[in-house]
Amino acid sequence: MITMTPKVRLLATLRVAGTLSAAALIVGAAPSLRAQEISHKLTVMDEFQIQTPTDPQISPDGKKIVYVRRFADRTTDKRYANLWIISSDGTDHRALTTGNRSDSSPHWSPDGTRIAYLSDADGKTQLYIRWMDTGQTARITDLEDSPEAIAWSPDGKMLSFSALVPGKGPHIADLPAPPAGAKWGDPPKVYDRLVYRFNGVGYLNPGFMQVFVVSADGGAPRQVSNGNFPNGGNEWSPTRANWTPDGKYLIISANRHPESDHAFFDTEVYEFNLADGAVRALTNRKGPDNAPEISPNGKWIAYTGFDDRLQGHQTTKLYLMNRDGTGSHSVSDKLDRDIQSPQWAPDNSGVFFQYADQGDTKIGFCTSDGNCKKVADHVASTTSAYGGGSFSVARTGLIAMTYGRTDDPGNVAILTNGAMKVLTSLNEELLAQKKPGHVQEIWYESSKDKRKIQGRISTPRKNIRSSSKSTAGPSRTTATASILKSRRGPPWATWCCTPIREAARAMAKNSLI
């Protein structure tokens, strides 16, 4: 089972005589350049010049695409994001928001006249709406804890979102009050949850994520879900609700088991009644049931998951079931790859989804009877080894997606009847001046069981092979590399490196050294 993302980089550095600084080793620095010379090598500071798109959302009529454009600011040393819009034919490319702020999660209203999005323009992340004809914006929420995972109701009158409902942590003892004028340290924090902190989020706040709805005209939000369960997902992974076409129910994946911390993957698909908050489970098995998407005609629900056999890795499949939870069956058994981000075709003919194959993220499509096919390659937008990429489908059948390669961090593209057209060129000027490392696909056998392993290796554009001649010893090969591989496991699994001898063996076999 291969799950490498399309940007798994195999770092290579050029070893030069003498002592190099640690920073020079990381970027593969060459000797100091004279003032008149221009370097064509990517450096650490070039990271501030790279811009990447994400979350391209195509309008219901397929004519416009709004996407998030991420960038970094060298003055503040922080990353930000603005919203941009482009026509489906590649014209009228312009910014909708600007400045050092974080705008995200754009979603078109069902009639295509507005977009809802999240922004910290006023300091704390809140929910905003923009009218596309006038450009006017309005802040819809004023919450203490930021909203996440927004979704429009079918009639465009309401929005759902997830947000943390604060709770009280365990009480151990009453502490004495400090004397007047004293400066004591912060009081200790006590955690009694198995998962009390998470990578990228830090220490978690007491309480649970719940699901809310709010009027698109503003006003007080109304909490739909209840109970000491992560109904709205977790702080590090909020869950987006899926509205039924009649607007009466929200379909949500949640872990409502009493020992949810000890059965992290054991989620179910639930139906929440908007009128009274009544909840009904639509699935019931040991294992994850995630990402539910209801068909446009309201008859079926697509979702992902597997029957948990307590193995180190199990393939995530695409399932379909009737609206009432009956008739659940897998439609992706013939595809031995993990399924993500299901989205229904507008004509109810099947489900689009993402999957990774040999280091490349792709879009696939499965019909209700299990006929699956590949629709697009290179669904990527990232500067890291973790990959990335996303897509959306218009009512006309057009698909907006992020498109990236090993020599380009990412752009926005459109897919029409299988024909792809790249619409943007966000890093064209930078990459015309600075050349990234040359990336080559490699295959090698595992020293353990001779299993074929696929990877990619990155080498400098020039001087891949060189030697230092010295009377004091033999010539020295100067290309070195490390190979990165993905490690399957829980959500907090990271990337690790294979031994350098494996990298050297693979490089030698592929004539890189």
Side-chain angles (χ1 to χ4, degrees), residues 105-110 116-118 127 148-154 156-162 211-214 216 239-243 250-251 293:
S105 302
H107 287 275
W108 291 90
S109 61
Y117 64 99
L118 301 175
L127 173 58
E148 304 281 355
I150 59 178
W152 285 92
S153 64
K157 295 181 179 180
M158 303 284 288
L159 286 148
S160 62
F161 63 88
S162 296
V211 180
F212 296 79
V213 293
V214 65
T239 299
R240 182 177 63 87
N242 197 241
W243 292 74
L250 295 178
I251 307 299
E293 290 286 328

PDB file of all heavy atoms in Angstrom, residues 105-110 116-118 127 148-154 156-162 211-214 216 239-243 250-251 293:
ATOM      1  N   SER A 105     -11.707  29.253   3.873  1.00  0.00           N
ATOM      2  CA  SER A 105     -12.977  28.518   3.774  1.00  0.00           C
ATOM      3  C   SER A 105     -14.055  29.259   2.990  1.00  0.00           C
ATOM      4  O   SER A 105     -15.184  29.419   3.472  1.00  0.00           O
ATOM      5  CB  SER A 105     -13.500  28.183   5.177  1.00  0.00           C
ATOM      6  OG  SER A 105     -12.568  27.432   5.894  1.00  0.00           O
ATOM      7  N   PRO A 106     -13.775  29.722   1.765  1.00  0.00           N
ATOM      8  CA  PRO A 106     -14.848  30.362   0.986  1.00  0.00           C
ATOM      9  C   PRO A 106     -15.877  29.335   0.520  1.00  0.00           C
ATOM     10  O   PRO A 106     -15.524  28.223   0.128  1.00  0.00           O
ATOM     11  CB  PRO A 106     -14.095  30.969  -0.202  1.00  0.00           C
ATOM     12  CG  PRO A 106     -12.901  30.068  -0.384  1.00  0.00           C
ATOM     13  CD  PRO A 106     -12.513  29.640   1.010  1.00  0.00           C
ATOM     14  N   HIS A 107     -17.150  29.715   0.591  1.00  0.00           N
ATOM     15  CA  HIS A 107     -18.234  28.841   0.123  1.00  0.00           C
ATOM     16  C   HIS A 107     -19.300  29.692  -0.563  1.00  0.00           C
ATOM     17  O   HIS A 107     -19.808  30.654   0.025  1.00  0.00           O
ATOM     18  CB  HIS A 107     -18.854  28.063   1.289  1.00  0.00           C
ATOM     19  CG  HIS A 107     -17.982  26.964   1.807  1.00  0.00           C
ATOM     20  ND1 HIS A 107     -17.951  25.701   1.255  1.00  0.00           N
ATOM     21  CD2 HIS A 107     -17.089  26.939   2.820  1.00  0.00           C
ATOM     22  CE1 HIS A 107     -17.083  24.947   1.902  1.00  0.00           C
ATOM     23  NE2 HIS A 107     -16.548  25.674   2.861  1.00  0.00           N
ATOM     24  N   TRP A 108     -19.641  29.307  -1.809  1.00  0.00           N
ATOM     25  CA  TRP A 108     -20.678  30.014  -2.548  1.00  0.00           C
ATOM     26  C   TRP A 108     -22.049  29.703  -1.972  1.00  0.00           C
ATOM     27  O   TRP A 108     -22.340  28.572  -1.585  1.00  0.00           O
ATOM     28  CB  TRP A 108     -20.649  29.604  -4.014  1.00  0.00           C
ATOM     29  CG  TRP A 108     -19.455  30.077  -4.791  1.00  0.00           C
ATOM     30  CD1 TRP A 108     -18.271  29.421  -4.951  1.00  0.00           C
ATOM     31  CD2 TRP A 108     -19.342  31.294  -5.522  1.00  0.00           C
ATOM     32  NE1 TRP A 108     -17.415  30.163  -5.730  1.00  0.00           N
ATOM     33  CE2 TRP A 108     -18.053  31.323  -6.098  1.00  0.00           C
ATOM     34  CE3 TRP A 108     -20.200  32.371  -5.746  1.00  0.00           C
ATOM     35  CZ2 TRP A 108     -17.609  32.380  -6.893  1.00  0.00           C
ATOM     36  CZ3 TRP A 108     -19.759  33.425  -6.537  1.00  0.00           C
ATOM     37  CH2 TRP A 108     -18.476  33.425  -7.091  1.00  0.00           C
ATOM     38  N   SER A 109     -22.903  30.709  -1.945  1.00  0.00           N
ATOM     39  CA  SER A 109     -24.304  30.468  -1.605  1.00  0.00           C
ATOM     40  C   SER A 109     -24.939  29.657  -2.735  1.00  0.00           C
ATOM     41  O   SER A 109     -24.457  29.675  -3.875  1.00  0.00           O
ATOM     42  CB  SER A 109     -25.046  31.793  -1.403  1.00  0.00           C
ATOM     43  OG  SER A 109     -25.029  32.564  -2.607  1.00  0.00           O
ATOM     44  N   PRO A 110     -26.020  28.931  -2.470  1.00  0.00           N
ATOM     45  CA  PRO A 110     -26.632  28.101  -3.511  1.00  0.00           C
ATOM     46  C   PRO A 110     -27.021  28.865  -4.772  1.00  0.00           C
ATOM     47  O   PRO A 110     -26.987  28.302  -5.873  1.00  0.00           O
ATOM     48  CB  PRO A 110     -27.860  27.519  -2.806  1.00  0.00           C
ATOM     49  CG  PRO A 110     -27.475  27.485  -1.365  1.00  0.00           C
ATOM     50  CD  PRO A 110     -26.649  28.715  -1.161  1.00  0.00           C
ATOM     51  N   ALA A 116     -19.656  32.944   1.695  1.00  0.00           N
ATOM     52  CA  ALA A 116     -19.375  32.961   3.133  1.00  0.00           C
ATOM     53  C   ALA A 116     -17.925  32.536   3.321  1.00  0.00           C
ATOM     54  O   ALA A 116     -17.421  31.681   2.574  1.00  0.00           O
ATOM     55  CB  ALA A 116     -20.309  32.019   3.868  1.00  0.00           C
ATOM     56  N   TYR A 117     -17.250  33.118   4.276  1.00  0.00           N
ATOM     57  CA  TYR A 117     -15.855  32.772   4.525  1.00  0.00           C
ATOM     58  C   TYR A 117     -15.483  33.116   5.957  1.00  0.00           C
ATOM     59  O   TYR A 117     -16.225  33.814   6.666  1.00  0.00           O
ATOM     60  CB  TYR A 117     -14.928  33.481   3.533  1.00  0.00           C
ATOM     61  CG  TYR A 117     -14.918  34.995   3.626  1.00  0.00           C
ATOM     62  CD1 TYR A 117     -13.901  35.664   4.310  1.00  0.00           C
ATOM     63  CD2 TYR A 117     -15.905  35.756   3.005  1.00  0.00           C
ATOM     64  CE1 TYR A 117     -13.882  37.043   4.378  1.00  0.00           C
ATOM     65  CE2 TYR A 117     -15.898  37.140   3.070  1.00  0.00           C
ATOM     66  CZ  TYR A 117     -14.880  37.776   3.760  1.00  0.00           C
ATOM     67  OH  TYR A 117     -14.863  39.150   3.832  1.00  0.00           O
ATOM     68  N   LEU A 118     -14.338  32.618   6.390  1.00  0.00           N
ATOM     69  CA  LEU A 118     -13.806  32.910   7.715  1.00  0.00           C
ATOM     70  C   LEU A 118     -12.664  33.907   7.583  1.00  0.00           C
ATOM     71  O   LEU A 118     -11.871  33.838   6.640  1.00  0.00           O
ATOM     72  CB  LEU A 118     -13.315  31.633   8.389  1.00  0.00           C
ATOM     73  CG  LEU A 118     -14.356  30.534   8.594  1.00  0.00           C
ATOM     74  CD1 LEU A 118     -13.698  29.284   9.170  1.00  0.00           C
ATOM     75  CD2 LEU A 118     -15.486  31.006   9.487  1.00  0.00           C
ATOM     76  N   LEU A 127     -17.156  34.594  11.146  1.00  0.00           N
ATOM     77  CA  LEU A 127     -17.829  34.256   9.901  1.00  0.00           C
ATOM     78  C   LEU A 127     -18.287  35.537   9.205  1.00  0.00           C
ATOM     79  O   LEU A 127     -18.933  36.391   9.821  1.00  0.00           O
ATOM     80  CB  LEU A 127     -19.023  33.341  10.199  1.00  0.00           C
ATOM     81  CG  LEU A 127     -19.971  32.988   9.056  1.00  0.00           C
ATOM     82  CD1 LEU A 127     -19.230  32.316   7.913  1.00  0.00           C
ATOM     83  CD2 LEU A 127     -21.100  32.099   9.571  1.00  0.00           C
ATOM     84  N   GLU A 148     -15.753  27.209  12.740  1.00  0.00           N
ATOM     85  CA  GLU A 148     -15.022  26.401  11.755  1.00  0.00           C
ATOM     86  C   GLU A 148     -16.030  25.624  10.925  1.00  0.00           C
ATOM     87  O   GLU A 148     -17.196  25.509  11.270  1.00  0.00           O
ATOM     88  CB  GLU A 148     -14.077  25.413  12.466  1.00  0.00           C
ATOM     89  CG  GLU A 148     -13.067  26.031  13.418  1.00  0.00           C
ATOM     90  CD  GLU A 148     -11.874  26.637  12.699  1.00  0.00           C
ATOM     91  OE1 GLU A 148     -11.794  26.491  11.462  1.00  0.00           O
ATOM     92  OE2 GLU A 148     -11.036  27.248  13.381  1.00  0.00           O
ATOM     93  N   ALA A 149     -15.556  25.065   9.805  1.00  0.00           N
ATOM     94  CA  ALA A 149     -16.317  24.090   9.011  1.00  0.00           C
ATOM     95  C   ALA A 149     -17.707  24.614   8.644  1.00  0.00           C
ATOM     96  O   ALA A 149     -18.732  24.043   9.016  1.00  0.00           O
ATOM     97  CB  ALA A 149     -16.406  22.764   9.771  1.00  0.00           C
ATOM     98  N   ILE A 150     -17.768  25.693   7.881  1.00  0.00           N
ATOM     99  CA  ILE A 150     -19.046  26.323   7.552  1.00  0.00           C
ATOM    100  C   ILE A 150     -19.702  25.630   6.347  1.00  0.00           C
ATOM    101  O   ILE A 150     -19.031  25.046   5.505  1.00  0.00           O
ATOM    102  CB  ILE A 150     -18.861  27.826   7.271  1.00  0.00           C
ATOM    103  CG1 ILE A 150     -17.890  28.045   6.095  1.00  0.00           C
ATOM    104  CG2 ILE A 150     -18.357  28.537   8.507  1.00  0.00           C
ATOM    105  CD1 ILE A 150     -17.713  29.505   5.731  1.00  0.00           C
ATOM    106  N   ALA A 151     -21.047  25.727   6.292  1.00  0.00           N
ATOM    107  CA  ALA A 151     -21.803  25.163   5.169  1.00  0.00           C
ATOM    108  C   ALA A 151     -23.131  25.906   5.046  1.00  0.00           C
ATOM    109  O   ALA A 151     -23.769  26.243   6.050  1.00  0.00           O
ATOM    110  CB  ALA A 151     -22.049  23.668   5.368  1.00  0.00           C
ATOM    111  N   TRP A 152     -23.551  26.159   3.795  1.00  0.00           N
ATOM    112  CA  TRP A 152     -24.816  26.840   3.527  1.00  0.00           C
ATOM    113  C   TRP A 152     -25.985  25.875   3.607  1.00  0.00           C
ATOM    114  O   TRP A 152     -25.874  24.697   3.255  1.00  0.00           O
ATOM    115  CB  TRP A 152     -24.805  27.450   2.132  1.00  0.00           C
ATOM    116  CG  TRP A 152     -23.997  28.694   1.958  1.00  0.00           C
ATOM    117  CD1 TRP A 152     -22.687  28.765   1.566  1.00  0.00           C
ATOM    118  CD2 TRP A 152     -24.431  30.035   2.141  1.00  0.00           C
ATOM    119  NE1 TRP A 152     -22.279  30.074   1.496  1.00  0.00           N
ATOM    120  CE2 TRP A 152     -23.337  30.877   1.840  1.00  0.00           C
ATOM    121  CE3 TRP A 152     -25.641  30.613   2.521  1.00  0.00           C
ATOM    122  CZ2 TRP A 152     -23.422  32.266   1.920  1.00  0.00           C
ATOM    123  CZ3 TRP A 152     -25.726  32.006   2.594  1.00  0.00           C
ATOM    124  CH2 TRP A 152     -24.628  32.816   2.297  1.00  0.00           C
ATOM    125  N   SER A 153     -27.149  26.378   4.017  1.00  0.00           N
ATOM    126  CA  SER A 153     -28.392  25.616   3.893  1.00  0.00           C
ATOM    127  C   SER A 153     -28.819  25.640   2.426  1.00  0.00           C
ATOM    128  O   SER A 153     -28.426  26.531   1.663  1.00  0.00           O
ATOM    129  CB  SER A 153     -29.480  26.218   4.778  1.00  0.00           C
ATOM    130  OG  SER A 153     -29.807  27.538   4.355  1.00  0.00           O
ATOM    131  N   PRO A 154     -29.628  24.681   1.991  1.00  0.00           N
ATOM    132  CA  PRO A 154     -30.031  24.627   0.579  1.00  0.00           C
ATOM    133  C   PRO A 154     -30.748  25.877   0.081  1.00  0.00           C
ATOM    134  O   PRO A 154     -30.633  26.230  -1.098  1.00  0.00           O
ATOM    135  CB  PRO A 154     -30.952  23.397   0.529  1.00  0.00           C
ATOM    136  CG  PRO A 154     -30.515  22.550   1.675  1.00  0.00           C
ATOM    137  CD  PRO A 154     -30.107  23.510   2.747  1.00  0.00           C
ATOM    138  N   GLY A 156     -30.156  28.933   1.208  1.00  0.00           N
ATOM    139  CA  GLY A 156     -29.292  30.091   1.350  1.00  0.00           C
ATOM    140  C   GLY A 156     -29.646  31.023   2.481  1.00  0.00           C
ATOM    141  O   GLY A 156     -29.105  32.131   2.577  1.00  0.00           O
ATOM    142  N   LYS A 157     -30.548  30.589   3.372  1.00  0.00           N
ATOM    143  CA  LYS A 157     -30.965  31.458   4.476  1.00  0.00           C
ATOM    144  C   LYS A 157     -30.193  31.230   5.760  1.00  0.00           C
ATOM    145  O   LYS A 157     -30.210  32.081   6.651  1.00  0.00           O
ATOM    146  CB  LYS A 157     -32.462  31.254   4.746  1.00  0.00           C
ATOM    147  CG  LYS A 157     -33.363  31.686   3.597  1.00  0.00           C
ATOM    148  CD  LYS A 157     -34.830  31.473   3.948  1.00  0.00           C
ATOM    149  CE  LYS A 157     -35.740  31.930   2.814  1.00  0.00           C
ATOM    150  NZ  LYS A 157     -37.178  31.735   3.144  1.00  0.00           N
ATOM    151  N   MET A 158     -29.535  30.080   5.882  1.00  0.00           N
ATOM    152  CA  MET A 158     -28.838  29.730   7.109  1.00  0.00           C
ATOM    153  C   MET A 158     -27.434  29.215   6.776  1.00  0.00           C
ATOM    154  O   MET A 158     -27.134  28.825   5.646  1.00  0.00           O
ATOM    155  CB  MET A 158     -29.594  28.650   7.876  1.00  0.00           C
ATOM    156  CG  MET A 158     -31.025  29.000   8.238  1.00  0.00           C
ATOM    157  SD  MET A 158     -31.133  30.148   9.619  1.00  0.00           S
ATOM    158  CE  MET A 158     -30.651  29.078  10.982  1.00  0.00           C
ATOM    159  N   LEU A 159     -26.590  29.209   7.810  1.00  0.00           N
ATOM    160  CA  LEU A 159     -25.261  28.621   7.719  1.00  0.00           C
ATOM    161  C   LEU A 159     -25.034  27.758   8.953  1.00  0.00           C
ATOM    162  O   LEU A 159     -25.462  28.111  10.053  1.00  0.00           O
ATOM    163  CB  LEU A 159     -24.179  29.698   7.648  1.00  0.00           C
ATOM    164  CG  LEU A 159     -24.053  30.459   6.325  1.00  0.00           C
ATOM    165  CD1 LEU A 159     -23.610  31.881   6.579  1.00  0.00           C
ATOM    166  CD2 LEU A 159     -23.089  29.759   5.391  1.00  0.00           C
ATOM    167  N   SER A 160     -24.388  26.627   8.753  1.00  0.00           N
ATOM    168  CA  SER A 160     -23.987  25.798   9.893  1.00  0.00           C
ATOM    169  C   SER A 160     -22.487  25.946  10.096  1.00  0.00           C
ATOM    170  O   SER A 160     -21.739  26.258   9.168  1.00  0.00           O
ATOM    171  CB  SER A 160     -24.345  24.327   9.645  1.00  0.00           C
ATOM    172  OG  SER A 160     -23.650  23.819   8.525  1.00  0.00           O
ATOM    173  N   PHE A 161     -22.042  25.701  11.311  1.00  0.00           N
ATOM    174  CA  PHE A 161     -20.612  25.745  11.617  1.00  0.00           C
ATOM    175  C   PHE A 161     -20.357  24.968  12.898  1.00  0.00           C
ATOM    176  O   PHE A 161     -21.280  24.648  13.657  1.00  0.00           O
ATOM    177  CB  PHE A 161     -20.100  27.181  11.744  1.00  0.00           C
ATOM    178  CG  PHE A 161     -20.709  27.976  12.858  1.00  0.00           C
ATOM    179  CD1 PHE A 161     -20.164  27.966  14.143  1.00  0.00           C
ATOM    180  CD2 PHE A 161     -21.835  28.756  12.629  1.00  0.00           C
ATOM    181  CE1 PHE A 161     -20.726  28.698  15.170  1.00  0.00           C
ATOM    182  CE2 PHE A 161     -22.412  29.503  13.654  1.00  0.00           C
ATOM    183  CZ  PHE A 161     -21.855  29.474  14.928  1.00  0.00           C
ATOM    184  N   SER A 162     -19.098  24.661  13.136  1.00  0.00           N
ATOM    185  CA  SER A 162     -18.663  24.017  14.377  1.00  0.00           C
ATOM    186  C   SER A 162     -17.896  25.030  15.220  1.00  0.00           C
ATOM    187  O   SER A 162     -17.170  25.867  14.679  1.00  0.00           O
ATOM    188  CB  SER A 162     -17.778  22.803  14.090  1.00  0.00           C
ATOM    189  OG  SER A 162     -18.495  21.804  13.401  1.00  0.00           O
ATOM    190  N   VAL A 211     -22.127  21.732  17.050  1.00  0.00           N
ATOM    191  CA  VAL A 211     -22.615  22.221  15.765  1.00  0.00           C
ATOM    192  C   VAL A 211     -23.675  23.286  16.002  1.00  0.00           C
ATOM    193  O   VAL A 211     -24.586  23.105  16.836  1.00  0.00           O
ATOM    194  CB  VAL A 211     -23.180  21.066  14.924  1.00  0.00           C
ATOM    195  CG1 VAL A 211     -23.692  21.575  13.576  1.00  0.00           C
ATOM    196  CG2 VAL A 211     -22.113  19.996  14.709  1.00  0.00           C
ATOM    197  N   PHE A 212     -23.575  24.376  15.258  1.00  0.00           N
ATOM    198  CA  PHE A 212     -24.481  25.514  15.379  1.00  0.00           C
ATOM    199  C   PHE A 212     -25.059  25.861  14.007  1.00  0.00           C
ATOM    200  O   PHE A 212     -24.500  25.493  12.972  1.00  0.00           O
ATOM    201  CB  PHE A 212     -23.750  26.748  15.927  1.00  0.00           C
ATOM    202  CG  PHE A 212     -23.217  26.609  17.323  1.00  0.00           C
ATOM    203  CD1 PHE A 212     -22.037  25.916  17.575  1.00  0.00           C
ATOM    204  CD2 PHE A 212     -23.884  27.194  18.393  1.00  0.00           C
ATOM    205  CE1 PHE A 212     -21.535  25.802  18.857  1.00  0.00           C
ATOM    206  CE2 PHE A 212     -23.386  27.093  19.687  1.00  0.00           C
ATOM    207  CZ  PHE A 212     -22.215  26.388  19.921  1.00  0.00           C
ATOM    208  N   VAL A 213     -26.139  26.625  14.028  1.00  0.00           N
ATOM    209  CA  VAL A 213     -26.655  27.264  12.825  1.00  0.00           C
ATOM    210  C   VAL A 213     -26.876  28.737  13.144  1.00  0.00           C
ATOM    211  O   VAL A 213     -27.130  29.114  14.300  1.00  0.00           O
ATOM    212  CB  VAL A 213     -27.969  26.620  12.331  1.00  0.00           C
ATOM    213  CG1 VAL A 213     -27.726  25.209  11.839  1.00  0.00           C
ATOM    214  CG2 VAL A 213     -29.040  26.635  13.406  1.00  0.00           C
ATOM    215  N   VAL A 214     -26.755  29.573  12.110  1.00  0.00           N
ATOM    216  CA  VAL A 214     -26.956  31.008  12.279  1.00  0.00           C
ATOM    217  C   VAL A 214     -27.600  31.542  11.007  1.00  0.00           C
ATOM    218  O   VAL A 214     -27.374  31.021   9.907  1.00  0.00           O
ATOM    219  CB  VAL A 214     -25.608  31.732  12.561  1.00  0.00           C
ATOM    220  CG1 VAL A 214     -24.674  31.648  11.369  1.00  0.00           C
ATOM    221  CG2 VAL A 214     -25.836  33.181  12.971  1.00  0.00           C
ATOM    222  N   ALA A 216     -28.154  33.782   7.797  1.00  0.00           N
ATOM    223  CA  ALA A 216     -27.242  34.464   6.882  1.00  0.00           C
ATOM    224  C   ALA A 216     -27.368  35.974   6.987  1.00  0.00           C
ATOM    225  O   ALA A 216     -26.514  36.708   6.469  1.00  0.00           O
ATOM    226  CB  ALA A 216     -27.510  34.011   5.441  1.00  0.00           C
ATOM    227  N   THR A 239     -15.471  19.174  12.110  1.00  0.00           N
ATOM    228  CA  THR A 239     -16.314  18.416  11.205  1.00  0.00           C
ATOM    229  C   THR A 239     -17.362  19.322  10.573  1.00  0.00           C
ATOM    230  O   THR A 239     -18.070  20.047  11.277  1.00  0.00           O
ATOM    231  CB  THR A 239     -17.015  17.273  11.952  1.00  0.00           C
ATOM    232  OG1 THR A 239     -16.037  16.395  12.500  1.00  0.00           O
ATOM    233  CG2 THR A 239     -17.913  16.478  11.009  1.00  0.00           C
ATOM    234  N   ARG A 240     -17.449  19.256   9.248  1.00  0.00           N
ATOM    235  CA  ARG A 240     -18.450  20.059   8.528  1.00  0.00           C
ATOM    236  C   ARG A 240     -19.751  19.281   8.399  1.00  0.00           C
ATOM    237  O   ARG A 240     -19.760  18.113   7.990  1.00  0.00           O
ATOM    238  CB  ARG A 240     -17.929  20.433   7.137  1.00  0.00           C
ATOM    239  CG  ARG A 240     -18.889  21.306   6.328  1.00  0.00           C
ATOM    240  CD  ARG A 240     -18.256  21.697   5.001  1.00  0.00           C
ATOM    241  NE  ARG A 240     -17.994  20.526   4.186  1.00  0.00           N
ATOM    242  CZ  ARG A 240     -18.877  19.961   3.356  1.00  0.00           C
ATOM    243  NH1 ARG A 240     -20.103  20.471   3.259  1.00  0.00           N
ATOM    244  NH2 ARG A 240     -18.549  18.922   2.638  1.00  0.00           N
ATOM    245  N   ALA A 241     -20.854  19.921   8.744  1.00  0.00           N
ATOM    246  CA  ALA A 241     -22.167  19.288   8.615  1.00  0.00           C
ATOM    247  C   ALA A 241     -22.609  19.318   7.155  1.00  0.00           C
ATOM    248  O   ALA A 241     -22.238  20.209   6.387  1.00  0.00           O
ATOM    249  CB  ALA A 241     -23.188  20.006   9.487  1.00  0.00           C
ATOM    250  N   ASN A 242     -23.422  18.325   6.773  1.00  0.00           N
ATOM    251  CA  ASN A 242     -23.967  18.235   5.422  1.00  0.00           C
ATOM    252  C   ASN A 242     -25.486  18.375   5.511  1.00  0.00           C
ATOM    253  O   ASN A 242     -26.152  17.575   6.170  1.00  0.00           O
ATOM    254  CB  ASN A 242     -23.565  16.896   4.809  1.00  0.00           C
ATOM    255  CG  ASN A 242     -23.712  16.875   3.304  1.00  0.00           C
ATOM    256  OD1 ASN A 242     -24.469  16.086   2.764  1.00  0.00           O
ATOM    257  ND2 ASN A 242     -22.991  17.738   2.614  1.00  0.00           N
ATOM    258  N   TRP A 243     -26.041  19.396   4.860  1.00  0.00           N
ATOM    259  CA  TRP A 243     -27.476  19.661   4.917  1.00  0.00           C
ATOM    260  C   TRP A 243     -28.238  18.707   3.997  1.00  0.00           C
ATOM    261  O   TRP A 243     -27.801  18.421   2.887  1.00  0.00           O
ATOM    262  CB  TRP A 243     -27.780  21.085   4.483  1.00  0.00           C
ATOM    263  CG  TRP A 243     -27.299  22.160   5.413  1.00  0.00           C
ATOM    264  CD1 TRP A 243     -26.008  22.584   5.585  1.00  0.00           C
ATOM    265  CD2 TRP A 243     -28.096  22.965   6.271  1.00  0.00           C
ATOM    266  NE1 TRP A 243     -25.961  23.605   6.502  1.00  0.00           N
ATOM    267  CE2 TRP A 243     -27.231  23.871   6.940  1.00  0.00           C
ATOM    268  CE3 TRP A 243     -29.457  23.029   6.548  1.00  0.00           C
ATOM    269  CZ2 TRP A 243     -27.685  24.803   7.858  1.00  0.00           C
ATOM    270  CZ3 TRP A 243     -29.924  23.970   7.461  1.00  0.00           C
ATOM    271  CH2 TRP A 243     -29.042  24.836   8.111  1.00  0.00           C
ATOM    272  N   LEU A 250     -29.238  17.837   9.558  1.00  0.00           N
ATOM    273  CA  LEU A 250     -27.802  17.913   9.317  1.00  0.00           C
ATOM    274  C   LEU A 250     -27.233  16.497   9.443  1.00  0.00           C
ATOM    275  O   LEU A 250     -27.513  15.797  10.423  1.00  0.00           O
ATOM    276  CB  LEU A 250     -27.117  18.838  10.317  1.00  0.00           C
ATOM    277  CG  LEU A 250     -27.495  20.324  10.269  1.00  0.00           C
ATOM    278  CD1 LEU A 250     -26.755  21.079  11.368  1.00  0.00           C
ATOM    279  CD2 LEU A 250     -27.194  20.927   8.911  1.00  0.00           C
ATOM    280  N   ILE A 251     -26.448  16.083   8.461  1.00  0.00           N
ATOM    281  CA  ILE A 251     -25.788  14.783   8.483  1.00  0.00           C
ATOM    282  C   ILE A 251     -24.346  15.019   8.904  1.00  0.00           C
ATOM    283  O   ILE A 251     -23.621  15.785   8.259  1.00  0.00           O
ATOM    284  CB  ILE A 251     -25.857  14.085   7.122  1.00  0.00           C
ATOM    285  CG1 ILE A 251     -27.311  14.026   6.625  1.00  0.00           C
ATOM    286  CG2 ILE A 251     -25.251  12.703   7.190  1.00  0.00           C
ATOM    287  CD1 ILE A 251     -28.242  13.262   7.533  1.00  0.00           C
ATOM    288  N   GLU A 293     -21.641  12.682   2.657  1.00  0.00           N
ATOM    289  CA  GLU A 293     -22.120  13.613   1.636  1.00  0.00           C
ATOM    290  C   GLU A 293     -23.425  13.067   1.080  1.00  0.00           C
ATOM    291  O   GLU A 293     -23.470  11.955   0.543  1.00  0.00           O
ATOM    292  CB  GLU A 293     -21.088  13.771   0.507  1.00  0.00           C
ATOM    293  CG  GLU A 293     -19.829  14.514   0.904  1.00  0.00           C
ATOM    294  CD  GLU A 293     -20.046  16.010   1.048  1.00  0.00           C
ATOM    295  OE1 GLU A 293     -20.897  16.563   0.308  1.00  0.00           O
ATOM    296  OE2 GLU A 293     -19.386  16.623   1.907  1.00  0.00           O
TER     297      GLU A 293
END
